[in-house]
Amino acid sequence: MEHQHHTKSPATDHSKMDHSTMHHGSNPSMGMAGHDHSMMIADFKKRFFVVLALTLPIMLLSAMIQRFIGVDWQFAGSSYLLFALSTVVFFYGGWPFLTGWIGEIKAKNPGMMFLIGFAITVAYSYSVAIVFGLKGMDFFWELTTLIGIMLLGHWIEMKSIAGASKELELLVQLMPSDAHMVMADMIHDVKTDTLKENDIILVKPGEKVAADGIILEGESYLNESMLTGESKPVKKVKGDKVIAGSINGSGSFKVTVSHAAKDSYLSQVVKLVDDAQKSKSKTQLLADTAARWLTIIALCSGIATFLYWYLTGQPLAFAMERMVTVIVICCPHALGLAVPLVVAKSTALSAKNGLLIKNRNAFENSRKITTVVFDKTGTLTVGKFEVSKIISLDQALKENELLRLASALEQKSEHPIATGILQKVKDLAIKIPATENFNAITGKGVEATVEGKKILVVSPGYLKENKIAIPEGFTADDTETVVFVIIDKKLAGYIALSDKIRPESAAAINTLKQEKIKSILLTGDNSKVAASVSKTLGMDSFIAEVLPDQKLKEIKALQQKGEFVAMTGDGVNDAPALAQADIGIAVGSGSDIAAETAGIVLVNSDPKDIVGLILFGKATYRKMIQNLVWATGYNVVALPLAAGVLYNQGIVLSPAAGAVLMTVSTVVVAINAALLKVKN
C-alpha cells in the first residue's frame, strides 16, 4: 500500500534542455514571433508576384527564348533593358537569399541560403559580364525563373510550417482575454493577465474559464477536451479545481484564482510545447548533420561539374549552367525541414490530446519500449478508494469513533486512501478533530496525537515489521486495501477500502500485448490485491508491497535484464523511479506540470493514453524517417541528372527545372508531416 503523504517536489531544471533554434523559419514561436512569421509569409508572396510580373518581358527579351520560338526582336539597347529588369529581379527577388547567404557565412554555418545565394550570384555575375562584352549566352531568364520558383517554394513551405504550429496557436487562443472579476460592490470586466492569486471571478454559461482556480460557489459541467483530450464534460462542484481555457456548460459559478495567468496550466503547456519544439532530439541532430554534409557535397559537386564540362571542351555558359543546376537541386532544404516540421506538428498535437512532451528524446524513444511498468492506484484503477468496511477490535470503541480518529490523521494527506476515508466522514457528517505532532512514516502510514491519544494509521507492512499480530477473524477480499488503526500502542481496528479497475485498462493492456510490449504492475499494495488486478487485466506479472524508494531498484533490475522500460507514476512519490526509467511518464498530474521528473506528462490518468503515447511516438518517428529517406533519396537521383550524367542521351535539367524539383521535394516533406495524426 502506497500510503505516502504528498509533498511537492521542486520544479525540474529545464535549463538542461537544448533550446537552440531550429532550421530557419521552422519554429514559429508564440506571440510576436507568430506575427513576424505571417509578415515574412506576406513578404515572400509580394516578392514572388513582382518577379512573376517581370518574368515575361525578361523571357521575351532573351536571345535563347527568341531563337526557340523563331523570332528576332533584338533592338538597340535591348540587352541593357534585359540587364536592368534582371537586376531588379536579382536584388529585389533575391534579397532574402542574399541576406541569408551573408548570415550563414557570418555564423560559419553554410546551408541552404549559402547555396541559393551562391548560385544566383554566379548566374547574375556571368550574365552581366556577357552584356558588357564577354562572348557567350546570358543566363538572365534562367536566373529570373530560378528566383521566382525559389520564392514560391519558400512561400508555400512557410505556410506549411505555420500550419504545423497552428495547434500551438489554438492552445494560446484558448485563454480568454477578459474575465468578470467579483468586487465588493459589483462585477468588473478586467483583462485576464491582470488577475492574481485569491481574486474571485465569475464564469457565466458557455464562457471559457479565465484562470486556474477552485470553485467557490455554484456548479457546472466543464468541457476540458482541448486541454486533456477527454471528450466527456466533467462535473465540477464547490471545492473542485478548474483549469483556464476549459469551456463552461450551462451553470454559472465563482472561482477563487490560484495563481497569475503566466503560471496557469495552459501557459505552462504552451511553454512546454514551445520548448519541446525548439529542443533538438537525436533524430533532429542527425538531419542537421546530413544537411550540413549535403551543403558541402553540393558545393564540391557543383565546382567539379563545372570543371569537368569546361575542361572537356563545352562552352563556358553550359558549364556554368550545369554548376548552378547542381547547386540548386542539391539544396538541403527538404532535409533541413524533414524533422522540424514533424516535431512542430507532433508536439502541438500531443498537447491537444493530453500528452505533454518535456523531453523530445524520451518521446522519440517510446518506439523502443519493451516493458511498461504501471503504478496501480489511479492509473489502472479509478484511484477513488471507497470505504467498504470498518471493523473495531475494541468493544468500547464504535466504528464511527474509529473512523473519526483515523480521519484526523488523513486530513493532511492527498493520498487516494486518505481521500476515501475523508469522503466517508463527510457522508456520515462526522466532525474531524485537530491533530498535534503529525508525522508521516515513509511508505507505511502516519502518526499523530489526537485528543491526548497517540494514534497511528498504518499499512499491513508496518504490523509485520513491528511484529504486531494480525487480529483473528481478519477478512479482506482480494480487491480490498486495508489500513490498521493503533491507539496508544494497541491495535484498535481496521478500515478496508476498495478501488475499482478502470473500464479502459483491459483494452490498453490488450493493445500493448498486440504491440509485443510487456506490462508489469508495480505497487505498494498487498500481493492479494496486486495478483487480483494483474490477473483480471491479463498483465504479464506484478511486483507488490514495494515502498516508493524500492521502486527504483525494481526498475533497475528490469533494465539489467535488457528491457527498455517505461514507468508510469504520479510523479511525486514515484520521482526517483520515473527518473531511473528509460522513459518516465507522469500521470494525472493536472496543474503540477513543472514539478515532475518525468520526460512525458499525461494530463489524464487513463492507461489508454499511455498506449496512445507509444503508438503516436512510433508514428512520429516513422514520419521523420519517411521524410529523411525522401529528402535524401531525391538528392541521390536528382544530383547526377543535374550534373549532366545523361547529357549524351539528351536528358539535361535546366536550373529552373532543378528549382521546381527542389520545391516539390520540400512540399512533399511538408504535406507528409501535416498528415501526422494521434490515434485514440
Side-chain angles (χ1 to χ4, degrees):
M1 185 191 77
E2 303 136 1
H3 206 73
Q4 188 66 10
H5 288 259
H6 291 202
T7 50
K8 297 281 171 271
S9 54
T12 349
D13 178 12
H14 283 279
S15 62
K16 287 178 192 153
M17 274 187 172
D18 172 11
H19 289 181
S20 50
T21 314
M22 290 196 296
H23 187 283
H24 90 103
S26 61
N27 183 44
S29 274
M30 308 321 308
M32 277 306 291
H35 176 65
D36 291 350
H37 194 72
S38 53
M39 279 174 66
M40 275 172 77
I41 293 174
D43 180 56
F44 271 89
K45 181 180 172 184
K46 188 170 77 181
R47 288 178 197 270
F48 166 70
F49 282 114
V50 169
V51 170
L52 190 64
L54 293 172
T55 302
L56 188 64
I58 285 171
M59 288 185 83
L60 292 176
L61 285 168
S62 292
M64 190 176 168
I65 300 291
Q66 288 179 15
R67 199 176 304 160
F68 181 68
I69 55 176
V71 293
D72 181 13
W73 292 336
Q74 299 293 330
F75 54 87
S78 66
S79 64
Y80 295 109
L81 178 60
L82 179 61
F83 160 66
L85 292 173
S86 301
T87 301
V88 172
V89 169
F90 176 68
F91 284 107
Y92 178 72
W95 188 249
F97 307 115
L98 296 171
T99 51
W101 178 23
I102 293 161
E104 288 186 353
I105 290 171
K106 276 184 186 160
K108 296 193 179 75
N109 186 15
M112 187 195 58
M113 291 299 188
F114 181 91
L115 293 179
I116 300 173
F118 179 75
I120 62 176
T121 305
V122 166
Y124 177 73
S125 309
Y126 174 75
S127 304
V128 170
I130 299 286
V131 172
F132 293 104
L134 186 74
K135 285 268 177 287
M137 188 82 75
D138 66 64
F139 262 16
F140 284 131
W141 76 270
E142 281 110 325
L143 172 74
T144 306
T145 49
L146 177 59
I147 289 175
I149 290 162
M150 283 295 181
L151 286 168
L152 176 67
H154 267 66
W155 173 34
I156 292 170
E157 171 220 313
M158 287 164 85
K159 281 182 80 169
S160 306
I161 292 165
S165 266
K166 197 163 68 222
E167 280 89 357
L168 182 52
E169 298 195 355
L170 283 174
L171 282 173
V172 179
Q173 287 158 17
L174 277 180
M175 186 67 96
S177 52
D178 297 312
H180 313 300
M181 190 160 161
V182 181
M183 306 280 199
D185 52 343
M186 59 184 287
I187 290 171
H188 287 282
D189 280 0
V190 296
K191 290 277 170 232
T192 304
D193 50 19
T194 63
L195 292 174
K196 49 192 194 304
E197 195 178 342
N198 295 330
D199 282 348
I200 293 168
I201 55 170
L202 175 70
V203 183
K204 296 177 183 173
E207 289 184 336
K208 285 178 183 166
V209 178
D212 290 358
I214 289 167
I215 295 184
L216 182 66
E217 63 179 69
E219 60 178 64
S220 185
Y221 279 87
L222 293 191
N223 179 347
E224 298 178 341
S225 60
M226 263 305 274
L227 303 155
T228 63
E230 177 55 69
S231 53
K232 293 195 292 276
V234 186
K235 188 176 186 188
K236 299 282 184 179
V237 297
K238 184 179 173 177
D240 283 351
K241 275 185 188 173
V242 290
I243 306 174
S246 43
I247 301 160
N248 185 17
S250 54
S252 72
F253 54 89
K254 286 180 185 170
V255 173
T256 308
V257 177
S258 303
H259 37 231
K262 68 174 183 352
D263 299 319
S264 73
Y265 169 80
L266 194 58
S267 304
Q268 289 195 50
V269 170
V270 168
K271 184 180 179 307
L272 257 179
V273 173
D274 201 30
D275 284 352
Q277 285 187 356
K278 286 180 194 160
S279 73
K280 296 203 176 192
S281 66
K282 285 178 184 138
T283 322
Q284 169 69 56
L285 294 168
L286 171 79
D288 286 353
T289 310
R292 201 159 293 122
W293 274 106
L294 197 56
T295 305
I296 295 162
I297 290 165
L299 275 175
C300 297
S301 307
I303 293 162
T305 302
F306 171 77
L307 291 171
Y308 172 80
W309 288 115
Y310 188 59
L311 296 173
T312 54
Q314 289 290 349
L316 180 64
F318 180 83
M320 294 282 268
E321 187 186 65
R322 288 301 93 227
M323 175 170 83
V324 169
T325 309
V326 165
I327 285 173
V328 167
I329 217 160
C330 227
C331 265
H333 206 190
L335 196 55
L337 281 171
V339 176
L341 275 175
V342 179
V343 167
K345 180 84 180 170
S346 67
T347 351
L349 261 182
S350 305
K352 244 172 85 174
N353 285 274
L355 314 175
L356 305 176
I357 298 164
K358 292 172 64 177
N359 179 328
R360 287 288 327 167
N361 279 330
F363 175 58
E364 283 175 29
N365 284 338
S366 59
R367 71 184 194 286
K368 298 183 195 165
I369 293 171
T370 58
T371 299
V372 180
V373 173
F374 286 94
D375 180 40
K376 178 182 72 77
T377 309
T379 308
L380 295 173
T381 59
V382 177
K384 276 198 178 144
F385 279 91
E386 288 170 3
V387 173
S388 48
K389 59 170 88 110
I390 307 163
I391 306 288
S392 169
L393 301 169
D394 181 345
Q395 281 165 353
L397 193 70
K398 290 213 163 58
E399 274 88 357
N400 282 9
E401 178 61 10
L402 187 76
L403 188 67
R404 183 180 80 89
L405 294 171
S407 69
L409 277 71
E410 300 294 6
Q411 63 189 332
K412 294 199 168 143
S413 171
E414 290 173 21
H415 192 277
I417 287 178
T419 316
I421 290 174
L422 294 172
Q423 186 58 49
K424 186 73 174 171
V425 167
K426 197 173 164 190
D427 295 346
L428 297 170
I430 294 171
K431 194 168 182 300
I432 302 174
T435 60
E436 291 165 40
N437 312 326
F438 179 87
N439 177 38
I441 313 162
T442 308
K444 310 262 175 43
V446 282
E447 59 185 356
T449 307
V450 182
E451 296 168 350
K453 299 185 183 89
K454 184 153 194 288
I455 297 183
L456 283 81
V457 178
V458 292
S459 68
Y462 180 89
L463 297 194
K464 223 182 270 174
E465 252 180 49
N466 290 278
K467 304 199 171 40
I468 300 170
I470 286 181
E472 280 175 39
F474 168 73
T475 56
D477 68 33
D478 289 353
T479 59
E480 284 179 325
T481 296
V482 177
V483 288
F484 291 91
V485 183
I486 299 171
I487 302 175
D488 290 333
K489 298 187 179 171
K490 186 176 167 226
L491 188 56
Y494 57 92
I495 301 168
L497 302 99
S498 57
D499 179 15
K500 287 198 287 285
I501 290 176
R502 277 175 177 271
E504 311 90 353
S505 295
I509 300 295
N510 199 27
T511 312
L512 286 178
K513 270 209 172 102
Q514 287 163 13
E515 292 288 316
K516 304 202 169 27
I517 296 170
K518 296 199 256 311
S519 53
I520 295 176
L521 177 63
L522 182 64
T523 179
D525 218 332
N526 69 61
S527 299
K528 276 187 175 173
V529 175
S532 166
V533 170
S534 175
K535 191 174 166 207
T536 308
L537 294 174
M539 297 176 79
D540 291 277
S541 63
F542 68 88
I543 307 164
E545 295 175 30
V546 184
L547 291 177
D549 55 323
Q550 292 169 341
K551 288 187 177 179
L552 173 85
K553 291 186 192 123
E554 297 294 346
I555 300 286
K556 264 190 184 160
L558 286 167
Q559 287 169 327
Q560 278 155 6
K561 287 180 194 161
E563 300 290 343
F564 196 88
V565 182
M567 157 88 187
T568 72
D570 67 5
V572 182
N573 61 9
D574 294 329
L578 286 173
Q580 174 63 36
D582 295 294
I583 296 171
I585 305 169
V587 291
S589 305
S591 321
D592 308 325
I593 299 166
E596 312 299 348
T597 47
I600 297 161
V601 179
L602 296 186
V603 178
N604 292 323
S605 306
D606 191 337
K608 196 169 82 243
D609 287 349
I610 294 160
V611 177
L613 163 80
I614 294 169
L615 297 179
F616 187 52
K618 285 184 175 181
T620 302
Y621 188 74
R622 262 199 312 276
K623 282 274 179 239
M624 287 180 181
I625 297 303
Q626 282 165 9
N627 277 357
L628 286 174
V629 167
W630 166 261
T632 317
Y634 139 83
N635 281 298
V636 169
V637 174
L639 196 149
L641 287 178
V645 168
L646 297 180
Y647 172 65
N648 294 333
Q649 281 76 31
I651 298 171
V652 171
L653 288 177
S654 71
V660 167
L661 276 176
M662 195 206 101
T663 300
V664 167
S665 83
T666 306
V667 172
V668 167
V669 162
I671 290 168
N672 191 36
L675 294 173
L676 184 66
K677 285 192 174 53
V678 175
K679 285 189 186 135
N680 281 332

